[in-house]
Amino acid sequence: MQADVPADRAGAQAEAQPVKGREQAGYKEGTSRGTVRGQPGRGRQQPGRPGPAVRCGMRSPELPVPPPAAAPRARPGRGRTRTSESGSASLSLRPALPGQAGPRAGEERAEPRSPPPEGRRGLRAQTSPAPIDGTAPARAGGLGLGGRAGTADGSCLRPGPDPGKGCCPSYQDQNLPPTQLASFPIIRPALQDLASSRWHWADQPPPNHGRGCLYGLVFDAGSTHTSLYIYRWPADKENDTGIVSQVEACSVAGPGISSYADDPAGAGAGLKPCLDRAMKIVPAEQQRETPTYLGATAGMRLLREENSTKAEQVLAEVSKAIGAYPVDFRGARILTGSEEGSFGWITVNYLLETLVKFSFAEKWAHPQDTEVLGALDLGGASTQITFQPGVPVEDRNTSVFFRLYGTDYSLYSHSYLCYGQSQALKMLLAALHQASSRAQISHPCYPKGYKETITVAELYNSPCVRAPSSARPGLVLTVTGTGDTDTCHAAVQRLFDFSCGAQGPCGFNGVYQPPVRGHFFAFSGFYHSLHFLNLTGGQSLSLVNATIRKICNSSWKQVQELFPTASRTQIRDACTASSYTLTLLLQGYKFNVTTWPNIHFIRQVANTDVGWTLGYMLNLTNMIPSEPPPAVVGLLRSIWIAATVLLAIMLLLSSCLLTATCCQRDSSGYEQL
Ligand SMILES: O=c1ccn([C@@H]2O[C@H](COP(=O)(O)OP(=O)(O)O)[C@@H](O)[C@H]2O)c(=O)[nH]1
């Protein structure tokens, strides 16, 4: 793990070192192969609680290094790279303790270089209603997911008067046709069989029809905002599999919790409306057994770089606020970049059932013909790339191992701090300011005719940017848009160092990255920036380029007319954000015209938001075992037995055929063999 803070334009630089052999709550760094450990088979804990099965009824920082400047290349197999937040990781299932903060300064050490419905029998297949753009039609559920049903807002199709009760997916609700398969070739194999067979409950209604759900709550405390995700799954799980569906995503008013550094109590108070909402959804008698987590991401990683005390105070306040509710609160902590990327990868593949799925034999099985997907996450303060490269990951800091359902996954995962959208746009503005060295800034990515003012203090309020020593905090800067596509593109590119040198493949800023492989889901900021321009529907790279070019050449008046209902900030940033997204994907992560179609811009899968939170909860609640569930073992054994019997029959038949042939030849007067 390490961290880099942009040195010149970026401000501070820091590194965090892997902590060998130490296991943190929910995360283990180091080089050893690890697993997402579950307790397969009998005696396995039910999600969300220790002990016997629950019956119901009763979600280092590294700061960017300026490109050409001095970002030493990552050396495969060696130490640290800059601008990274990854680390060799293997996820454990040890939950965070209540109130426990995440990795602390010593654990994800930073050395600033410069200031700055059940998986139940009978369910053969299900799908979700026809998705809107950004939602993938998938078999609801993932590892053992049977499916889910829901509305666009994530609520139950038939919530009833009390949304907390009688809301487990029902047969009728889930007997829906798969749609838009063609849009997602990677998941087509998994879906086609389902399409042809029609989703249905195999033999009988679900045992828990209308009742028997467990709940889990995860706060995603991002740099720009906080959301509370309310998940639910059937209590009666079959063979270590289950269905987790998103009941609701409650958006917390205001900015991300890192913005409350000088008012920590405000961060806690802001969570209450969503906690109140959750208490209306989770039945009263189940609240105390509802596992509840808060995971903070890059915004808090940056705050911790700046002021670890303030970061701890914020975490303490949000913990206090959540702890005041009758839930099984299991801690508020700061995720490492590697965790953020890894849990996002788990979420994606869980939702698409690429890790294990319900087979025609009505058994949970490891899909033989399905490739796992990669995950591309663009937050406000960091961006993550996680995928299975198919070649050994040469840099231990970016390698992640998982053992899920008896299958080993060797992944590449890396997080670039400060290269989230908001911080990258801030770095761009700071770079433009420093290039102008006046109180007037010409912004080539802002529309021509657009004008705004910003103080030096506001511009340089992040460790990702470092104010020039001559700059007075109170100085008011005037930013004027010039709407110049080519100049914009060049300015965005200067945020990165794309050179890889002679030491092997890289992403950017000298960070090792094997060539991208397979299909990817791109979510969060990747989705939002392109969705705003209607470019998330599988458009060709040339069309995407042309559209962004057109937007970037538009005047302020023209873009306002184009997006009459969008906010001023959204319209202002349309060109910058989309240009940044494209540059990051193509030159940063090294996608090209051939691999571009393999990127699927997605917001939701089957009414569940794609992000790290679901994977986080699945891990911490032991819902993903490292070993195959008994059903899978059973299936493999059955296959072995069937294959043996078949071989015996074939040998017998061959022997009979040979004997018959010999006798026939003999009777025809041929020489005996
Ligand atoms: O409706 C939305 C919701 C989110 N976002 C973007 O999605 C990302 C969410 O990032 P988050 O706050 O989670 O930041 P992190 O802490 O993960 O870096 C940011 O780039 C937001 O600008 C957006 O553009 N529109």
Side-chain angles (χ1 to χ4, degrees), residues 340-411:
E340 197 176 351
S342 300
F343 289 127
W345 183 89
I346 287 184
T347 296
V348 166
N349 288 287
Y350 180 94
L351 290 173
L352 291 182
E353 291 193 334
T354 51
L355 305 172
V356 68
K357 70 174 186 176
F358 200 67
S359 72
F360 274 128
E362 301 191 359
K363 303 278 186 187
W364 293 101
H366 175 69
Q368 301 297 324
D369 54 350
T370 309
E371 292 273 335
V372 290
L373 275 81
L376 297 164
D377 184 359
L378 178 59
S382 69
T383 177
Q384 290 73 233
I385 178 170
T386 307
F387 66 100
Q388 190 172 41
V391 294
V393 176
E394 294 172 12
D395 177 8
R396 54 178 253 177
N397 291 319
T398 56
S399 79
V400 176
F401 294 99
F402 288 121
R403 182 170 175 82
L404 306 171
Y405 278 101
T407 300
D408 289 330
Y409 297 93
S410 177
L411 309 179

Side-chain angles (χ1 to χ4, degrees), residues 59 220-225 297-299 340 378-382 420-422 524-525 528-529:
R59 165 184 9 148
D220 174 356
S223 60
T224 62
H225 76 293
T297 48
E340 197 176 351
L378 178 59
S382 69
Q421 187 176 294
S422 306
S524 198
H528 290 294
S529 63

